[in-house]
Amino acid sequence: MTQPASAARQDAPGLVKTPPQKEPKGAGPAFGLRLDLRNLSLLGVLAALIVVGGFTKPDEFLAVSNLQLVLTQASIIGVVTVGMTFVITSGGIDLSVGAMVALASVWATTLATQEYGFAGILFTAIVVGVGCGLVNGVLIAYGGLVPFIATIAMLASARGLALQITDGKTQIVTVDSVLDLGVKDAYVLGIPPLVLIFAAVVVIGWLVLNRTTFGRRTFAVGGNPEAARLAGIDVRRQRLYLYVLSGLCCGIAAFMLVVLSGSGQNTNGNLYELDAIAAAIIGGTLLSGGRGTIVGSVLGVLIFTTITNIFALNNLETAVQQIAKGAIIVVAVLVQHHTLRRRGET
């Protein structure tokens, strides 16, 4: 009598029995339903904020120019958040994203760089971002440093180098082709070019995370690194790639920030790490790894940007904004922990 194929594989000499694999975290219709409900609830929160903004400052908040500004500001931090979502999904963290944006923006706006025009600025911003991400990845994946320590070190180093390059001064962009991307004449059907760049990054990020082997490996490394290693995944190399990806997103965001502000400053990207982590967590990305959602992260970015805009229009202090964001992060993490405990996953 012929044995089943699975039994034949297990009984063959020299082969190791493979234990039955559990369904990955987040798989299955039930999780898909929970994810849809979460996104719907985030859309509800965003709609409520729009109502609040329209009620408190109807003329200013609902103006087309203000809505375009909100989307543009969300686009820059949103690109950073896409990279952060990948890193957190893998069980890591990147506290240096804001500093990498600052360093990339000032390096790309030096007089020497601007001599090469549009291509020189874009190329430099991306290369600096990728380079910083590569350093983070090497230190974490092959150097054995925990992500918190490695990225904190990068934060301090990148900020210091950005300050040294600028000498504390603002570097003005004089390349017209870069500045033209920020003017209304460049808008496509009323949509700013930076928003279109953000949309492209989101679509690519979603496809990579949900429809490629790279994405499945990211979920596997975040869910259980040892099981991922036994399954044949090079965990260290995967982590290296993820931090390089985060650096790439920071480089793109730095270029977008240069277009928006028309300058490079060592203070660029201040507290971007807070906003990116908060948006990812609010969107449903699990802080301990194993789960991540690009769509949820985008909604989280829009919620935080809208809150900031409403606060600014109502002349509330920046300190109040940061307190509110901090409180939202704490609540989101507590809700995540409580939900996982109820499902018996912690």
Side-chain angles (χ1 to χ4, degrees), residues 3-16:
Q3 288 181 318
S6 60
R9 284 196 302 269
Q10 292 175 355
D11 295 338
L15 293 181
V16 180

Side-chain angles (χ1 to χ4, degrees), residues 28-41:
F31 177 73
L33 178 60
R34 287 195 296 270
L35 188 59
D36 290 340
L37 290 176
R38 176 184 286 275
N39 288 341
L40 287 175
S41 65

